[in-house]
Amino acid sequence: MPQTTEPAAALQHPKPARAPRIHRAWFVAAVTFVTIIGAAAFRSLPGLLIEPLHTEFGWSRGTIGAAISVNLALYGLTAPFAAALMDRFGIRRVVAVALTVIALGSGLTVWMTAAWQLLLCWGLLVGLGSGSMALAFAATVTNRWFTVRRGLVTGILTAASASGQLIFLPLLSWMVETYDWRPAAVTVALAALAVVPFVWLLLRDHPADVGLEPYGADVFVPKPPPVTGAARRTIGVLRSAVRTGPFWLLAGTFAICGASTNGLIQTHFVPAAHDHGLPVTAAASLLAVIGVFDVVGTIASGWFTDRFEPRRLLAVYYALRGLSLLFLPMLLGPAIHPPMIFFIVFYGLDWVATVPPTLALCREQYGEDSAIVFGWVLASHQVGAALVAWLGGVARDVFGTYDMVWYASGALCAAAALMALVIRRRPRPSVPALAV
């Protein structure tokens, strides 16, 4: 969608005579990082709920997995609309409301007595709130505040979720083991509420709000007027994107990414390890260590994305992830041993390293609409995660083991590596099709 430069906007937000020594964009990125860390608490809890809820209420793992799958699906399906809503109402308002909804949904779970209430609270409310806090939030901040170092900033903000996992997973698993799952749910609600003041007081929607140009830009960019018709625009961008081949390849690879991370490891690793005799706290600690190396891997991936071909990076990431998943069934046991530690480090470096090159390809292909297109690509990521979160629980109920799920996910990652290599560069419209 073309943007018009209005003289009134330029007069309203004059460019300062001297830029600050540290650009405000880095402070906005820091606030965004802290916000995503605080919101990561709700992403750390689902895998810890499966066994306690199964024990207390007698619900099957498939039923609990269905609630988690609703959460993951809404997390993705809400993201593209959230990106458009940020264009309409501003980042601060959308994120503050989303955190409040997350706190409400998580807090209400302590009074639930039936499975449909889990679907409503954790599936619907937390899913809708978390969708508005999805990676589209990071993409919108990056697109508005940075014109250079976008890959690096994307990697840093993506790593924030893993940092939050590192902080909250050991704490929440200790609460579940020592007390009950309810204090853990209350902790998630309080963590979401605690971030709201930071968002409202420190986050700014656009560089023009503080009279600055985006980081790396040579000219001042006036703040565009609010974009009305958020839902209509979101659907319109989707209709345009689905007519292009790269969209389906990006959506397909990212669906496999979600299936092999959020849907598989984040949801089922702890109960699978517990099946092999490993204590829940030890399994949760391993998952937290994945978060440590995810921070390193994602930031490094952002640095690589600024310098290397994103398609080739994606192919390497998916191939290595699939290879590691094929070996996982042989590594699970009642104790932590060196091969398992190697898997944790190896897999952690690759956890969401796919995000910076995927977002870079969205920018390359779809320009100004890239944040919304990435929101739809993220929706496919979460649909893939939702399917495996549910099917993984069903497979465990039917076969009594998760082995089939690990092998299937490894094969899917191999397919994603091939799909990434097929994505072509965006053709230049100014060059005639028959030109030699």
Side-chain angles (χ1 to χ4, degrees):
M1 178 178 293
Q3 296 182 354
T4 57
T5 303
E6 298 182 3
L11 293 174
Q12 185 177 359
H13 303 286
K15 182 178 178 180
R18 183 172 59 184
R21 296 181 65 181
I22 301 178
H23 197 283
R24 180 66 177 267
W26 294 108
F27 291 102
V28 171
V31 173
T32 304
F33 185 89
V34 173
T35 302
I36 296 175
I37 285 179
F42 61 82
R43 294 174 60 80
S44 304
L45 191 57
L48 304 177
L49 291 177
I50 294 178
E51 289 300 326
L53 294 180
H54 174 70
T55 301
E56 179 173 340
F57 297 106
W59 300 336
S60 70
R61 293 174 179 83
T63 298
I64 301 169
I68 297 175
S69 71
V70 171
N71 175 292
L72 293 172
L74 286 177
Y75 175 92
L77 294 173
T78 305
F81 294 95
L85 287 173
M86 288 177 189
D87 289 340
R88 174 66 179 90
F89 298 105
I91 298 173
R92 287 195 304 170
R93 292 179 181 176
V94 173
V95 173
V97 171
L99 288 168
T100 304
V101 172
I102 290 168
L104 178 64
S106 182
L108 288 175
T109 58
V110 301
W111 291 290
M112 68 182 179
T113 57
W116 68 265
Q117 295 165 350
L118 178 65
L119 286 166
L120 174 64
C121 296
W122 200 262
L124 179 63
L125 292 179
V126 177
L128 289 174
S130 61
S132 300
M133 283 291 302
L135 291 173
F137 171 38
T140 301
V141 169
T142 304
N143 288 348
R144 291 186 182 184
W145 281 89
F146 293 85
T147 59
V148 298
R149 303 289 187 270
R150 282 178 168 176
L152 176 62
V153 174
T154 300
I156 293 173
L157 296 182
T158 303
S161 181
S163 301
Q165 177 175 291
L166 167 65
I167 294 170
F168 286 106
L169 256 177
L171 173 64
L172 296 177
S173 64
W174 173 78
M175 285 183 173
V176 171
E177 283 283 283
T178 306
Y179 299 104
D180 189 19
W181 61 269
R182 289 176 177 83
V186 172
T187 300
V188 170
L190 294 177
L193 284 178
V195 179
V196 174
F198 290 94
V199 172
W200 194 256
L201 296 175
L202 302 177
L203 194 62
R204 291 296 179 268
D205 291 332
H206 196 277
D209 289 339
V210 289
L212 291 174
E213 71 280 1
Y215 180 79
D218 296 326
V219 295
F220 180 74
V221 179
K223 183 177 181 178
V227 180
T228 58
R232 184 172 60 254
R233 182 189 176 203
T234 302
I235 298 298
V237 169
L238 175 63
R239 287 176 178 172
S240 176
V242 296
R243 298 188 181 98
T244 65
F247 174 82
W248 292 106
L249 292 169
L250 289 168
T253 55
F254 225 40
I256 294 172
C257 178
S260 57
T261 53
N262 301 83
L264 181 65
I265 295 295
Q266 191 167 50
T267 303
H268 294 293
F269 178 80
V270 171
H274 187 60
D275 284 347
H276 287 77
L278 193 66
V280 170
T281 51
S285 297
L286 288 177
L287 200 57
V289 173
I290 286 179
V292 176
F293 290 95
D294 177 31
V295 173
V296 177
T298 307
I299 294 175
S301 177
W303 188 86
F304 289 143
T305 301
D306 287 331
R307 291 161 175 79
F308 300 103
E309 175 57 53
R311 297 157 186 78
R312 295 180 180 178
L313 289 176
L314 281 180
V316 171
Y317 295 157
Y318 284 121
L320 293 177
R321 182 186 300 175
L323 184 64
S324 67
L325 288 173
L326 293 177
F327 283 97
L328 181 57
M330 296 178 283
L331 304 178
L332 292 171
I336 300 175
H337 44 81
M340 173 57 78
I341 295 175
F342 179 79
F343 168 83
I344 293 298
V345 173
F346 188 86
Y347 186 87
L349 291 171
D350 200 346
W351 177 269
V352 286
T354 55
V355 173
T358 300
L359 183 51
L361 289 171
C362 285
R363 290 196 194 101
E364 176 187 308
Q365 297 287 335
Y366 303 105
E368 294 294 331
D369 292 329
S370 61
I372 296 178
V373 173
F374 181 71
W376 284 113
V377 172
L378 178 62
S380 71
H381 180 282
Q382 294 308 117
V383 169
L387 285 173
V388 172
W390 171 57
L391 292 174
V394 173
R396 172 60 177 80
D397 290 332
V398 173
F399 300 108
T401 177
Y402 284 102
D403 288 358
M404 182 71 69
V405 185
W406 307 129
Y407 295 136
S409 297
L412 285 174
C413 288
L418 295 176
M419 292 167 65
L421 293 175
V422 175
I423 301 173
R424 297 183 181 276
R425 289 184 177 276
R426 184 181 182 183
R428 296 180 180 273
S430 59
V431 179
L434 300 178
V436 178

